[in-house]
Amino acid sequence: MPAGAGVVAAWLLARVTRRRREPEPLNRWQMVTINYPPQRLSEPGELPEPIARFGEALEIMIRPAPGGRGTELGARLRESPARGRIAKAAGRTAEGDARQVVQSALRAAKSLIETGEVLQRPAPPTTRRRTAGRLSERATLHARGEGGR
């Protein structure tokens, strides 16, 4: 076997073993950066409705963003039966989908804080759904983390 083949084999073995790692924990922090002073967001009752509606089911982190660029707002699911309630509230059954619900709530909160409203995607330009429109809609849902597989 040539000398370089051993190096390539070791590299391939390391790459394959990296892929077999444990899946991400369900209580991983989800973060968004908001153009808003951290002092104002950390006041009692300042959390926007998309986040506040989850109550004790979420653990919230508020800290200044690096470089003075606003605030980092983070949320993660607490280890509790509330995780199942969040998934059910979204009409989903898998626990992994509960993280997507949290991420959507963070994006809605960011939009509400920065613009005063939750921005929605525009209505389709035509009343007839065509192939290109369906593909665009599917890509948008996938980008937001809501698309099916």
Side-chain angles (χ1 to χ4, degrees):
M1 180 157 89
V7 173
V8 170
W11 176 78
L12 283 173
L13 181 62
R15 188 169 181 191
V16 169
T17 18
R18 259 186 267 142
R19 288 185 185 158
R20 292 184 190 158
R21 288 185 185 162
E22 293 292 318
E24 293 179 4
L26 289 174
N27 63 345
R28 193 180 126 220
W29 283 101
Q30 308 277 337
M31 304 291 286
V32 292
T33 302
I34 302 171
N35 187 16
Y36 197 74
Q39 301 80 9
R40 290 187 58 198
L41 194 58
S42 59
E43 293 173 6
E46 276 297 310
L47 285 177
E49 189 276 330
I51 296 293
R53 70 178 165 182
F54 292 113
E56 295 296 317
L58 291 180
E59 186 176 346
I60 305 295
M61 178 191 332
I62 300 169
R63 65 181 182 199
R69 294 192 171 119
T71 303
E72 283 188 341
L73 175 62
R76 72 176 175 181
L77 296 166
R78 292 188 189 271
E79 294 292 332
S80 70
R83 184 179 292 162
R85 286 194 305 268
I86 290 173
K88 283 182 184 176
R92 299 175 175 156
T93 56
E95 281 193 10
D97 287 341
R99 287 190 322 190
Q100 290 180 352
V101 173
V102 172
Q103 187 65 37
S104 293
L106 281 170
R107 283 193 300 267
K110 172 184 171 78
S111 178
L112 193 61
I113 290 169
E114 290 182 345
T115 66
E117 62 181 307
V118 178
L119 301 175
Q120 302 292 325
R121 63 172 204 241
T126 179
T127 56
R128 293 176 58 194
R129 292 184 62 187
R130 301 199 185 271
T131 304
R134 280 188 233 125
L135 290 173
S136 173
E137 183 177 288
R138 181 126 172 113
T140 303
L141 288 174
H142 181 71
R144 289 189 352 208
E146 298 173 10
R149 292 184 192 192

